[in-house]
Amino acid sequence: MKPTPLIQTAWRALLLALLCAGSRSAVAQPQILWEAYNDHRPTALTSPNATGYDMLKAGNGGTLRNFATGEDLTASFTMVVESGATDDFGEDAAPNAGSPAYKLFNGKVDLSNSGIPGVRASSSTRLVLSFSGLDPSKLYKFRGTSIRGGGYNDRWSVFTLLETDTYVAAHEDGSPNKNIITKATFPAADLQPNQVALNTGDNKVGSLVGWDNIQPTPDGTFSIAQEQWMGATPFGNTAAAAVKYGYAFGAIYLAEVESTGLLKITENPASQKRPAGATATFAVVATSPQAISYQWQRVPSWAVDYLDIPGATSASYTTPPLTLFDDGSSYRCVVKSGPNTTTTSEALLGVDGVPPRVIAAQGSIEFNSVYIGFSEPMNLEQLANPDNYKIDGGLVVTEAHVVDPSTVHLVTSPQTPSSAYTVTINGQQDVAGNPLAAATTVGFTAFDTRAETVGLDLWFGFAGGTVASLRNDARYPAGFDIDYTLGTLDSTILLPSGPNNAYAGRFRAWVTPAETGDYEFFLNADEVAELRVSVNDETFDNIDSPDITPDAVDTNTNNTFDETGSRATSAPITLVAGQRYPLQVIWVEVNGADYCKVAWRRVGDPTPASELPTIPSQFLSYYGPKPARINSITLGEEKVLIEWIGSALETSDDLQSWSEVKGAASPLAVVPKGHSFYRARK
């Protein structure tokens, strides 16, 4: 159907109103005079107009190069080791596509090089990046990043801008969970205004350390100190004994900008995410000996040009109530004083109109934890507050740890196997500020013994390097970070080999042979691992005793099962058919590839060790969740019959919002009505 003239007229009127909502403003921006990039230890320069000086040792550095022309500049940098000693570590990683670091450095600097500088608090390492040859009459813009990419969420570094009191913080967070923090964004951190802390141990989200409008000294210098950060962070445990270092810059950017005279912006408006229906306030702080005028501007996500916002002429601007059409809009402020004009950095506005939901809750193989998943990233401080959770049945929540922005790990008093519990959640918001419905409840059933199940505990941020060091660690055994259930003794099912480093893992399972005989157990792990099988006790109570000699120990990295006679292969162990035997494997991962696998072979079986599969799941059992699945759906004349197993049956009409079918038992007969979906919950 073609639009009627009335509809066409209405759309033209709406478009005209949008275009006339503000006036176009041609703003004289301070001109960028040159830009320079440096890549720490490139295999080969990504661009011939970048430089490739190391940024690790005292005296490293050199003359910077104008990226547009390839000509040498008067500006240069030198590395100064003020105290301690720096470390020369292995490969760093590339940032995620589309991240702030990717947008800035892609095609100019290769961030996945074979080296990254390390700084240690234990050695009081302080590595300083010192710029010189700068023009005191100009301003400078700096960006830098460090991306180890090893999943080391405990490894943070702090960067301190020195030799200047004139600058504007311009750090960019590419994460949903604050992996770069200042005193303003994370008050619990005891950071100064000229400091920023970054999770350099991973940072694949490509967050950037940055300052704008840096005024160099009269001698044309400023510098940035780099140290390991041991203070408070939104996630990760920087104070853990195993956290030995952070990382310094692997890539830097410097630009020279025309001065705006005595007019100085000292604080830019901040990007933010807000709920639909709320307002957002943006603010700028500027100084000048003359009167200052302000004009706020906005550009919607679908437009290119900024337009003046009528009447927005103060140092701060508050939007009208927001709608989803405002999502992705950018704001900035044009600041004028006397003959000088400058513009703030852009502030991005995100608008979220969907309240968060609880997706699921699950118990633990240790009967002292419950994991709760949310539909989207949540406010981290609220997520980690144990007072926001109450559990019935006499359970007490003692701790709350953020696993990721949408998952929390609650530590509880001991749970009773197979018992059903309900968690009541209050005081939670998503990152935009949308509240979770008050007194939201979610149920879970404590684990019990399950067939075809293996238990796995993980301790992250562990760099002890030996099994004994894990047993001597204060976090072992009860202070694990997270636990899982698997179907067999193969860590790569959950943890792909390579990207994870500095952690320890523990498998536990009962192995039950179908035939009586003598069995060899084969251990294959990177770094170091040990295997123990108990033939005297069905419990795991004494399997960690230091008086017990491991049945197998693997310290090589050949990624295969070794034949009889290897230390990684046990001597034959006599097992009786139908009897279950506790099996425990502990492995420690330091760096590089990471895997742990266990196989067995009955003596007399001619299968070569290198061709053995991991122990099949039908011979394994451990604590795990109640199975959950829809077994069958049968269509009748008037009703549908649903056969299922699990702790609860849930239904939805949109695959987004799910509700429990109260009192449902299998089989359940339902009358078809519209579109209905069903799922079983563990």
Side-chain angles (χ1 to χ4, degrees), residues 32-361:
I32 293 180
L33 303 176
W34 53 255
E35 297 174 294
Y37 295 83
N38 185 72
D39 185 356
H40 171 71
R41 192 170 300 167
T43 304
L45 284 175
T46 303
S47 169
N49 288 3
T51 52
Y53 303 117
D54 275 12
M55 297 187 289
L56 171 69
K57 298 180 180 179
N60 284 164
T63 301
L64 292 170
R65 191 173 296 150
N66 186 324
F67 190 79
T69 66
E71 298 176 349
D72 285 349
L73 299 163
T74 59
S76 64
F77 76 87
T78 303
M79 303 308 299
V80 179
V81 181
E82 288 193 349
S83 60
T86 54
D87 291 282
D88 190 358
F89 289 112
E91 294 183 358
D92 48 359
N96 295 337
S99 66
Y102 180 90
K103 292 177 181 178
L104 176 63
F105 290 112
N106 185 48
K108 305 174 181 71
V109 167
D110 180 9
L111 284 164
S112 55
N113 291 332
S114 59
I116 188 170
V119 288
R120 296 180 186 243
S122 60
S123 302
S124 301
T125 305
R126 183 177 169 93
L127 178 64
V128 177
L129 170 64
S130 181
F131 290 99
S132 60
L134 308 178
D135 186 341
S137 69
K138 303 295 190 295
L139 299 176
Y140 291 85
K141 176 180 180 178
F142 172 84
R143 298 290 186 273
T145 195
S146 182
I147 307 173
R148 180 63 178 89
Y152 304 113
N153 283 333
D154 296 328
R155 299 184 184 179
W156 291 67
S157 297
V158 58
F159 302 88
T160 306
L161 181 62
L162 303 171
E163 300 182 71
T164 179
D165 293 325
T166 302
Y167 58 87
V168 181
H171 317 298
E172 296 182 62
D173 191 350
S175 76
N177 61 337
K178 296 184 182 178
N179 84 323
I180 186 168
I181 56 173
T182 63
K183 182 68 173 178
T185 62
F186 190 69
D190 189 20
L191 292 163
Q192 299 303 308
N194 61 332
Q195 292 183 312
V196 59
L198 172 66
N199 169 30
T200 56
D202 191 61
N203 195 30
K204 287 184 179 179
V205 295
S207 294
L208 290 170
V209 171
W211 290 276
D212 289 342
N213 296 349
I214 301 171
Q215 177 69 63
T217 67
D219 293 331
T221 66
F222 76 86
S223 58
I224 301 170
Q226 306 168 86
E227 301 167 274
Q228 183 183 0
W229 174 245
M230 301 292 285
T233 55
F235 59 90
N237 181 14
T238 59
V243 183
K244 297 183 177 180
Y245 27 72
Y247 303 97
F249 291 129
I252 59 172
Y253 161 90
L254 186 70
E256 185 177 82
V257 183
E258 280 187 340
S259 174
T260 54
L262 296 176
L263 172 61
K264 307 290 185 183
I265 291 177
T266 59
E267 186 174 327
N268 277 311
S271 296
Q272 53 191 288
K273 195 168 186 179
R274 299 288 291 150
T279 61
T281 297
F282 299 95
V284 58
V285 179
T287 61
S288 174
Q290 297 177 277
I292 301 175
S293 65
Y294 306 89
Q295 176 59 64
W296 287 92
Q297 298 179 326
R298 174 183 182 271
V299 58
S301 60
W302 43 265
V304 176
D305 295 328
Y306 272 92
L307 301 178
D308 289 348
I309 302 173
T313 55
S314 299
S316 65
Y317 167 68
T318 299
T319 69
L322 300 168
T323 71
L324 293 180
F325 290 105
D326 296 306
D327 184 47
S329 298
S330 294
Y331 294 79
R332 70 183 186 185
C333 188
V334 180
V335 183
K336 297 181 180 180
S337 181
N340 299 309
T341 299
T342 188
T343 305
T344 67
S345 63
E346 295 182 334
L348 180 64
L349 175 64
V351 180
D352 181 358
V354 181
R357 297 175 292 106
V358 173
I359 296 175

Side-chain angles (χ1 to χ4, degrees), residues 345-477:
S345 63
E346 295 182 334
L348 180 64
L349 175 64
V351 180
D352 181 358
V354 181
R357 297 175 292 106
V358 173
I359 296 175
Q362 181 165 295
S364 160
I365 61 175
E366 304 296 346
F367 297 95
N368 68 347
S369 297
V370 57
Y371 300 91
I372 300 176
F374 296 83
S375 59
E376 59 181 298
M378 304 294 287
N379 179 295
L380 296 181
E381 288 78 10
Q382 296 169 349
L383 200 62
N385 184 353
D387 294 336
N388 289 338
Y389 311 91
K390 303 297 180 186
I391 306 179
D392 66 356
L395 285 191
V396 177
V397 177
T398 58
E399 301 174 35
H401 303 287
V402 174
V403 176
D404 59 50
S406 57
T407 309
V408 64
H409 169 196
L410 305 182
V411 180
T412 73
S413 53
Q415 301 162 15
T416 302
S418 289
S419 294
Y421 297 97
T422 299
V423 185
T424 301
I425 307 169
N426 284 293
Q428 299 285 355
Q429 296 177 332
D430 63 19
V431 293
N434 290 300
L436 180 74
T440 290
T441 60
V442 60
F444 75 97
T445 300
F447 286 6
D448 208 338
T449 305
R450 305 294 177 195
E452 301 185 358
T453 302
V454 173
L456 169 61
D457 294 305
L458 293 173
W459 291 263
F460 297 124
F462 178 78
T466 66
V467 173
S469 62
L470 175 64
R471 285 201 174 93
N472 292 329
D473 192 283
R475 294 187 293 160
Y476 186 85

Side-chain angles (χ1 to χ4, degrees), residues 495-516:
L495 303 169
S497 178
N500 301 289
N501 296 289
Y503 74 90
R506 183 181 71 181
F507 281 137
R508 278 186 168 183
W510 285 286
V511 58
T512 305
E515 300 178 20
T516 299

